[in-house]
Amino acid sequence: MPSRSNGLTAEMKAVRTLALVGAAVAGKTSLAEALLYKAGAIGACGSVERGSTVSDHDPLERRMLHSLNASVMHLTHAGTRIYLIDTPGGPDFLGQSLPALEAVETVAVVINAATGIEPMAIRMMEYAASRRLARMIIVNKIDAQGVSLSGLLADIQATFGRECLPLNVPDGVNRQVIDCFFNRFGRSDFGPVEAAHRALVEQVVEVDAAFVDRYLEKGDVDPSELHAPLEQALREGHLIPVCFASSRSGAGVAELLDVIVKLLPDPTEANPPSFIVGEGAEAMPMEAKPDSTLHVLAHVFKVTIDPYVGKMGIFRVHQGTVTRDSQLYIGDGRKPFKVGHLFMLQGKDHVEVSHALPGDIVAVAKVDEIHFDAVLHDAAEDSHVHLAPLPFPVPVYGLAVEPKRHGDEQRAWEILSKLAAEDPCLRIEHVAATNETVLYGLGELHLRIVLERLREVYRFDVQTRPPRIAYRETVTVPAEGHYRHKKQSGGAGQFAEVFLRIEPLARGAGFEFADEVRGGAIPGQFIPAVEKGVREVLAYGAIAGFPVADVRVVVYDGKHHSVDSKDIAFATAGRKAFMAAIREARPVVLEPIVQIEIAVPEHSVGDVTSDLSLRRGLVTGTSGLGSGTVAIGGQVPEAELADYQSRLNAMTSGQGRYTVALSHYEAVPPAVQQTLMERYRVREDD
């Protein structure tokens, strides 16, 4: 009688995991729908246009006719459970697409036969290669009018390498496909099937010297014997299979299911995930073994928070067995939670299961402590285990947000924090320099969708505007200021007189205040009041309404009155004397200059560097990143980047990305300073 362990191992080997990635026009959602229908998981194919697909179940997705979230589905074919993750194709939604790579053995890059290779396909192929995942290409919509599939295959090989070889080929003028791995006979739209078969077999046997010898001796090898070298070729990226299909007509869909079951790796055959133990320089690699009898290691790659249902964590089991009633720890948390219910997902529907093995993708609900990228485990020694971080693009497109109703600031922060918890490319920050709450994302569309969700799901309205630039004011030469404050209104009056001088400090030095009054001209108890008046100007500015920085103030003389001198009088005199001195010290407005790093395709370098110069930027250098990508380094005023992501997308066909970090402050050009000063005068008049 077979042991339970052997039974679980067999169950684990009958699992495949696949992420559908690529551009928004590739038809990933329709392809997932066709696979579900062909496998009998759904009774009829839904439609993106009608908003009836399994994966696009969010009301916003149905309205926009595009995927905005990663959606997990499952089906069974030939006794094998297949998990599909449909991912959004827009570059603004990489925070949803990239985490799906952590849950699968195989990444399927879907390409629209009519539109060809899109930038998102290239980008996701690079991400998948960096995580050492098996990769395949699915050419969808092969029955579109006027397509040249042979030409597209040549483009694929030119872009991704000669290791991209078809597992099946189109036939009947793109109306069906013919297997060319197990089958070597017949003709196709590409010519003799034997040529495609031979190319595949030769590519696979290259990874195993013994099979090379057999192939050279006999001229062929039985494909059914090539399972081990095939999996090795997939692991090493020596083979990237290409399959052809049409989600609309169903051509190639049944064959694609067979390919997934017969040829793609199961959880025991793929490269192990990149777990590490410890932090920083002391972190050490750790291998999670796809063994159901070991202690649990699972990774939370997606979190959803519903105001009515609560928080749900979706995770992939990499080691051990998770059952109902399991006690699991979250990362380095010391208090475990009990798995009350365990679900497989079918879009928005939950299917309760009793256990989950390595390879399974499941979810738990109503666990408040669970969070994105957490490692779930049942052993104390695994408290410092985590996955190597994904290279997420840095969110740099910002909007200042504030609630429409005064007093709702705390609730706004709480809701925005929940949305940020669902999306690793969404960041919320309170900017002290401008006293604003700023929401950062990957682009205008990204934040627009977030704000739509804020309104529709949480019924909360906010006002938005571009973030304020954290300008500053300073002085460039020494100067002196004097002010006598005298006020008499029948009763006790006010009197104070202050003489001070100011001088510029080095950039970033801040503020210094010194008392050099001699002979009690200003009694010591009033000096703090003088400093208070000076600091009021520091906070609110003197010429354009921005904080004053990098200045030294020395109070050296003054007068007082034994009866009428008060703190308020010396604070007023100090403020007025400081402002008078600033006006004589050639004041300037400073603007933040950021260090910018831009990654662009080689063919876009000229356009990007020219545009950077038009934005008062300075290019400091370029370097190759490989795969036809160039990094451009430079410095540019932060004020010039308000629309930069949109412009960069236009110049690079959506392939460009950038990061910024504050470098230093510089004086703005005179024309810009004049504009800022005039705006300030208008505000003062109002």
Side-chain angles (χ1 to χ4, degrees), residues 357-385:
L357 303 175
D360 284 328
I361 298 174
V362 291
V364 291
K366 298 181 180 179
V367 180
D368 291 338
E369 297 80 11
I370 207 164
H371 58 86
F372 170 76
D373 207 30
V375 169
L376 308 181
H377 59 93
D378 59 1
E381 62 266 26
D382 292 330
S383 60
H384 296 290
V385 173

Side-chain angles (χ1 to χ4, degrees), residues 392-412:
F392 286 109
V394 178
V396 291
Y397 181 85
L399 280 178
V401 297
E402 60 181 5
K404 286 190 174 180
R405 291 195 313 174
H406 182 68
D408 279 350
E409 288 78 11
Q410 181 61 34
R411 183 162 180 252

Side-chain angles (χ1 to χ4, degrees), residues 65 129 134 221 369 526 552 595-596 603 617 685:
L65 305 181
V221 176
E369 297 80 11
F526 293 128
R552 184 170 190 262
Q595 187 73 35
I596 188 168
H603 61 79
D685 292 344

